């Protein structure tokens, strides 16, 4: 199995990667650090899966070279599953990227990362409702301390492609 | 099914309304500090203080404590006499290449692969880049770098770049190789070209800075001044003549965070390991190759050929040609070689500036090829023009000041 770790720059993807594979990647508190992508192996239910730390990207419409790499990597791995890492205190932007990836038919799990920082800012996300609307597993995580990581990997096998029409219906839109 | 951008945002709006609740937001101490370091009035003095602290710690720990206090004693007092004694065939060519001058009483003036080469790499450069990367990792992980980017944005726009350019610039102060890789965070080809060219020419790496502190502490300020001046002067010119766009920059300033020790350790280790893999072989090999070039008379020959340019146009002694050739392999080594050549302080400034700007080291060169051969050719063209013009300009300034 192929798993791509995607998300905005600076949401903690590389920390996730370290947690999941125990490899040598470093995360900086500024975007643009992971420019050469990194691969590693992780176990899911005793099965080896290849995990790729994709450079941070804001959308699938690339605006610099690092983002081009990210988009190309997604398109080269048509049968991959995606872990989409989203900043829990700014989910709108993260969901934008998640929707774009879902529209292309990739199965996905969403990590609402930096959950602790969101709680500090008094921002609360209704995880169950978000999960219901999007139709994909959503897990609150704190990558730095490791919270939620195990739950995230266990949900990976439930990831499946969703229809955008269903999301629209679930969100209660008429269009 | 694909949505349009507007449809997508509409949908997200609906989703967010149903799932996110905002409580009352309290202004925390962290926010207050965050604002103070980003507003120009308070931010610029703070940035200067941070840079000064960085510099002081770098100088005192790397230079005074590790190099002078420990490494010099170890290498000059123990290692050099030992290897001079134990290596067979003093005076022969192999001895000359590996150990160098049998009468040298310090590791600088021996110039063998295992004497000067090893001393420069382990004794001077290693402590310098260790301290540098440790402090950089600290600034990165706390979250200070994006704030620095915001502060310096306006200035960098003048040279066709924007605030983010501070990231490759500062990384290059450690080693130009990761600096070149980091140019990828800039959006347009124009910006990447300007950044890469300026890095390769004007940003001295940690190795060079470390060695300048050691061998020419009195004149190093001038060298750095000329390099910073050149960075902005030629950045300004490149921005005017290179076609293309330099977009505005939008940045997401992350909150200040407590750095994780394990992450710091890992980051410094990865970078130091990179140094051992990339730089150390070049230092030793460079030392050996330069010795061979001296032995075969090649350096004397090219020195003769180029001496009119060096002596009359740049105003530096003929003997500096050798170190300049060595500089292609390792610039730190070249600075060490220059330091033992007889010349006036101003000639020293000129020749060290020339070493810095004249050609990227092999490792950086390889990295630039990887980033784009066309860009590299362009950068080299700029480089030759810059070396010629700027070298002459520095000489001219020296003449006008009456010191050259």
């Amino acid at each position: 199995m192929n798993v791509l770790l995607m998300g905005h720059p600076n949401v903690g993807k590389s920390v996730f990667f370290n947690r999941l594979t125990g490899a040598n990647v470093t995360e900086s508190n500024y975007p643009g650090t992971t420019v050469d992508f990194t691969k590693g192996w992780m176990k899911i239910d005793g099965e080896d899966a290849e995990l790729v730390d994709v450079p941070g990207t804001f959308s699938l419409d690339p605006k610099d070279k690092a983002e081009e790499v990210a988009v190309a990597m997604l398109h080269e791995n048509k049968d991959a599953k995606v872990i989409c890492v989203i900043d829990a205190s700014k989910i709108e932007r993260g969901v934008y990227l998640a929707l774009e990836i879902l529209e292309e038919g990739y199965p996905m799990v969403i990590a609402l990362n930096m959950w602790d920082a969101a709680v500090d800012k008094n921002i609360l996300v209704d995880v169950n409702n978000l999960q219901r609307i999007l139709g994909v597993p959503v897990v609150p995580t704190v990558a730095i301390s490791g919270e939620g990581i195990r739950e995230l990997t266990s949900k990976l096998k439930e990831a499946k492609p969703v229809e955008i029409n269903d999301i629209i219906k679930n969100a209660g839109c008429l269009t | 099914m694909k949505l349009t951008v507007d449809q997508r945002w509409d949908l997200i709006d609906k989703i967010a309304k149903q799932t996110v609740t905002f409580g009352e937001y309290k202004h925390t101490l962290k926010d207050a500090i965050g604002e103070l370091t980003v507003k120009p009035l308070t931010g610029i003095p703070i940035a200067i203080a941070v840079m000064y602290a960085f510099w002081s710690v770098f100088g005192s720990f790397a230079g005074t404590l590790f190099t002078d206090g420990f490494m010099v004693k170890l290498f000059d007092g123990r290692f050099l006499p030992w290897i001079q004694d134990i290596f067979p065939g003093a005076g022969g060519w192999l001895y000359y290449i590996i150990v160098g001058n049998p009468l040298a009483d310090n590791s600088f003036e021996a110039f063998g692969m295992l004497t000067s080469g090893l001393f420069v790499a382990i004794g001077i450069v290693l402590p310098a880049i260790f301290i540098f990367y440790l402090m950089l990792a600290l600034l990165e992980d706390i979250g200070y770098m994006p704030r620095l980017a915001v502060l310096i944005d306006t200035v960098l726009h003048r040279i066709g770049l924007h605030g983010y350019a501070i990231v490759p610039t500062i990384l290059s102060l450690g080693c130009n190789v990761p600096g070149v890789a980091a140019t990828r965070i800039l959006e347009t080809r124009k910006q990447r070209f300007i950044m890469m060219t300026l890095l390769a020419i004007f940003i001295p790496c940690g190795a060079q800075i470390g060695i300048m502190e050691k061998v020419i502490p009195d004149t190093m300020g001038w060298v750095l001044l000329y390099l910073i001046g050149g960075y902005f002067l030629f950045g300004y010119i490149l921005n005017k003549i290179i076609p293309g766009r330099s977009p505005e920059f939008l940045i997401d300033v992350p909150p200040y965070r407590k750095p994780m020790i394990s992450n710091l350790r890992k980051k410094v280790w990865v970078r130091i390991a990179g140094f051992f893999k990339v730089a150390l072989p070049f230092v030793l090999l460079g030392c050996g190759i330069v010795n061979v070039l001296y032995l075969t008379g090649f350096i004397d020959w090219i020195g003769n050929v180029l001496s009119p340019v060096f002596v009359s146009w740049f105003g530096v002694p003929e003997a500096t040609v050798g170190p300049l050739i060595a500089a292609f392999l390792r610039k730190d080594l070249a600075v060490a070689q220059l330091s033992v050549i007889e010349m006036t302080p101003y000639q020293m400034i000129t020749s060290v500036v020339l070493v810095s700007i004249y050609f990227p080291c092999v490792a950086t060169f390889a990295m630039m090829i990887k980033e784009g051969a066309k860009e590299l050719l362009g950068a080299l063209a700029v480089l030759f023009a810059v070396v010629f013009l700027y070298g002459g300009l520095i000489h001219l300034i020296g003449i006008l000041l009456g010191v050259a």
Side-chain angles (χ1 to χ4, degrees), chain A residues 91-92 95 112 115 123-135 166-174, chain B residues 9-22:
Chain A
I91 72 156
E92 290 90 338
V95 171
L112 289 180
W115 184 259
I123 297 172
L124 215 68
V125 181
D126 183 344
V127 176
N128 287 330
N129 204 14
L130 188 60
Q131 196 160 264
R132 180 190 64 81
I133 294 171
L134 293 176
D166 290 341
I167 298 179
I168 295 173
K169 227 179 288 161
N170 294 340
C173 298
L174 296 171
Chain B
W9 280 122
D10 260 4
L11 179 57
I12 289 165
D13 224 30
K14 297 251 166 41
I15 296 174
K17 277 206 184 97
Q18 298 175 48
T19 55
V20 187
T21 44
F22 292 92

Side-chain angles (χ1 to χ4, degrees), chain A residues 12-170:
Chain A
K13 283 185 305 301
S14 296
V15 180
F16 260 97
F17 188 81
N18 280 333
R19 287 264 170 220
L20 293 168
T21 64
N24 273 332
V25 207
T26 59
E27 169 72 7
S28 291
N29 199 356
Y30 62 73
T33 323
T34 317
V35 275
D36 271 325
F37 70 94
T38 325
K39 276 185 186 176
W41 293 92
M42 62 185 277
K43 290 251 184 228
I44 300 170
D45 294 335
E47 198 189 323
D48 275 332
E50 190 182 50
L51 184 70
V52 183
D53 185 18
V54 180
T57 180
F58 285 100
S59 73
L60 296 185
D61 177 24
K63 82 177 188 342
D64 63 30
K65 217 175 162 190
E67 294 198 355
E68 274 169 32
V69 174
V71 176
M73 282 167 64
L74 180 70
H75 290 154
E76 278 162 19
N77 290 285
K78 287 285 180 207
D79 51 356
K81 292 189 173 184
V82 174
I83 297 177
C84 190
V85 186
I86 289 177
D87 181 342
S89 54
K90 304 165 187 145
I91 72 156
E92 290 90 338
R93 302 200 243 165
V95 171
Y96 186 91
L97 177 67
L99 281 177
E100 278 193 307
I101 300 169
L102 286 172
E103 282 167 32
E104 301 210 359
Y106 290 88
M108 177 186 288
V109 200
I110 289 174
L112 289 180
N113 198 32
M114 304 198 271
W115 184 259
D116 54 339
V119 170
D120 281 349
K121 291 183 200 159
N122 255 328
I123 297 172
L124 215 68
V125 181
D126 183 344
V127 176
N128 287 330
N129 204 14
L130 188 60
Q131 196 160 264
R132 180 190 64 81
I133 294 171
L134 293 176
V136 301
V138 178
V139 182
T141 58
V142 183
I144 288 203
S145 67
E147 244 169 272
I149 302 278
R150 186 163 306 202
E151 194 188 343
L152 186 79
T153 38
S154 73
K155 291 271 171 79
L156 209 51
K157 59 177 183 294
E158 296 170 25
K160 52 182 184 298
V162 290
E163 281 297 322
I164 297 301
N165 276 328
D166 290 341
I167 298 179
I168 295 173
K169 227 179 288 161
N170 294 340

